[in-house]
Amino acid sequence: MNNEYNSWGYDALNIEKVRKKYGVFGENVSIAILDTGVSSLEMIEIAGGVNILDTTKNPEDENGHGTFLAGIIKSIAPKADLYVVKTLKKDLTGTYEDIATGIEWARKKKVDIILMSFGGEKDTPVLKEAVQKSKFRRDYSNIIYWKYSIIK
């Protein structure tokens, strides 16, 4: 595939092979990315979003990490509805409360997948409750992925 969102990961994951075999392009799938936002300078189509850190502002990415993730997702699933939930600051830090609020926002939007590419140092009741509420919805199944960042 040759587009602006193509990356080494596209080839490493054998996306073309999966598409040819299963005909999967992200149709009827909604994905919320909880991260640093998405840059308005990139031509990444989003279905909606929110800035949990400052609800008076757009979920503009000041770091690039969220935009990078959105590009990967759109290269893999170009027809998916993408929602941007800004929960991390420019320095990739955030709070458990903001993450829980972001999960709740995505849950209320009834997204199919919640993508979170960060991690934390402790287990907190507020985050645990948000994940449990999201995880056990009967009409949708969520995938939650933690990688890195410092959540305080």
Side-chain angles (χ1 to χ4, degrees), residues 63-107:
N63 175 281
H65 190 261
T67 303
F68 178 72
L69 290 176
I72 291 171
I73 295 302
K74 284 306 246 183
S75 74
I76 295 169
K79 295 185 179 182
D81 291 328
L82 188 62
Y83 292 88
V84 177
V85 185
K86 184 171 183 168
T87 56
L88 299 179
K89 300 176 200 168
K90 183 177 182 176
D91 65 357
L92 296 175
T93 61
T95 67
Y96 289 110
E97 290 77 14
D98 288 340
I99 301 302
T101 301
I103 293 170
E104 181 64 16
W105 184 91
R107 186 182 70 80

Side-chain angles (χ1 to χ4, degrees), residues 29-144:
V29 175
S30 56
I31 303 167
I33 298 177
L34 277 65
D35 207 275
T36 58
V38 170
S39 173
S40 59
L41 299 176
E42 297 296 324
M43 302 305 292
I44 299 172
E45 183 181 337
I46 62 171
V50 64
N51 184 336
I52 299 297
L53 306 177
D54 184 346
T55 56
T56 66
K57 295 182 179 178
N58 291 329
E60 184 67 26
D61 192 350
E62 300 169 308
N63 175 281
H65 190 261
T67 303
F68 178 72
L69 290 176
I72 291 171
I73 295 302
K74 284 306 246 183
S75 74
I76 295 169
K79 295 185 179 182
D81 291 328
L82 188 62
Y83 292 88
V84 177
V85 185
K86 184 171 183 168
T87 56
L88 299 179
K89 300 176 200 168
K90 183 177 182 176
D91 65 357
L92 296 175
T93 61
T95 67
Y96 289 110
E97 290 77 14
D98 288 340
I99 301 302
T101 301
I103 293 170
E104 181 64 16
W105 184 91
R107 186 182 70 80
K108 286 180 178 177
K109 289 286 185 187
K110 296 185 177 182
V111 300
D112 301 307
I113 299 169
I114 299 173
L115 173 70
M116 300 184 288
S117 182
F118 51 79
E121 298 173 353
K122 61 183 177 178
D123 188 14
T124 66
V126 68
L127 185 58
K128 193 173 206 171
E129 181 180 343
V131 169
Q132 290 300 320
K133 279 183 181 178
S134 179
K135 184 177 174 184
F136 292 111
R137 288 193 347 230
R138 284 179 280 150
D139 54 341
Y140 294 88
S141 60
N142 296 49
I143 297 172
I144 300 175

